[in-house]
Amino acid sequence: MKLSGSCHCGAVTFEMESKTPYPYMRCYCSICRKVGGNSGHAINLMAEAGSLKVQGAQAKGIYNAVIDGTPSPAERHFCRTCGSHLWVWDPRWPDLVHPHAGSLDTPLPRPPETVHIMLAFKPDWIDVPEGPGHVHFQEYPDLSIEDWHRSKGLYET
C-alpha cells in the first residue's frame, strides 16, 4: 500500500510503500509522548525505507532521543518549520522506516484490535481502553509489526 504524508504546514511531504498499513499499536513511552506532544501515545507503522520519497527535505530536522544518558541511533524526522513529527528511521534496521500514523494523509484501514505498549511508562492520568479488542503490554509486545499483520492475515504481499 502506498502511504503519503505531510507535516502540518506542508513544507515536507513524503510517500513510501508499506506491507503493514494497519495502525494497531499505541506506544505510551515518554519519548513517543513528549516528542509528539500528544495526550498519551504515538502510532507508528512500518514501511520499506528504500521506497521513501521526500519533497521539502531542506525543511526537515532529525532528533536522536537520549535513552539512559546515551543518544539513540534512531533518527526521529520532523518538520523544522511547524514541528510535526513525520517518521523514525533506525540504522540498526536500515531497510525499515516507521511513519507516524498522525502524519499520514492516506486513509488507513481500521485495525481489528489495538495493542497498547510501554504501559510501564504511562502517566497515571492517561486512561487506556480495556476489554475486547485491546491487548496490553508493560513494555514491548510479543509480536513485531510484521508478525502481528501476518497473524491477522493482513500482511500485504
Side-chain angles (χ1 to χ4, degrees):
M1 178 175 185
K2 181 175 157 182
L3 302 177
S4 297
S6 61
C7 63
H8 185 258
C9 73
V12 181
T13 61
F14 62 92
E15 63 181 40
M16 58 189 70
E17 292 291 329
S18 175
K19 295 178 181 178
T20 56
Y22 284 77
Y24 75 99
M25 189 180 343
R26 297 180 183 182
C27 181
Y28 296 83
C29 79
S30 65
I31 297 168
C32 287
R33 284 186 293 105
K34 289 185 176 277
V35 300
N38 61 52
S39 64
H41 64 269
I43 301 173
N44 296 319
L45 302 169
M46 185 174 78
E48 299 167 24
S51 70
L52 177 62
K53 295 181 179 108
V54 180
Q55 291 184 335
Q58 69 280 2
K60 189 176 60 64
I62 296 173
Y63 172 67
N64 297 85
V66 176
I67 302 171
D68 297 326
T70 304
S72 168
E75 298 179 352
R76 288 162 167 76
H77 295 251
F78 65 95
C79 174
R80 291 188 324 230
T81 304
C82 67
S84 297
H85 291 266
L86 305 168
W87 66 83
V88 176
W89 178 81
D90 194 315
R92 295 172 288 188
W93 299 277
D95 296 337
L96 305 176
V97 62
H98 299 280
H100 292 268
S103 70
L104 296 176
D105 301 317
T106 302
L108 297 173
R110 187 176 184 100
E113 75 177 7
T114 301
V115 177
H116 302 270
I117 70 167
M118 306 303 268
L119 293 172
F121 308 100
K122 171 192 82 60
D124 290 339
W125 60 269
I126 296 173
D127 291 324
V128 177
E130 296 188 21
H134 295 278
V135 182
H136 301 94
F137 292 92
Q138 290 303 301
E139 294 194 10
Y140 287 105
D142 295 335
L143 298 176
S144 70
I145 293 174
E146 181 177 332
D147 291 340
W148 181 90
H149 278 76
R150 287 183 186 276
S151 76
K152 305 292 182 199
L154 304 173
Y155 187 79
E156 297 183 9
T157 56

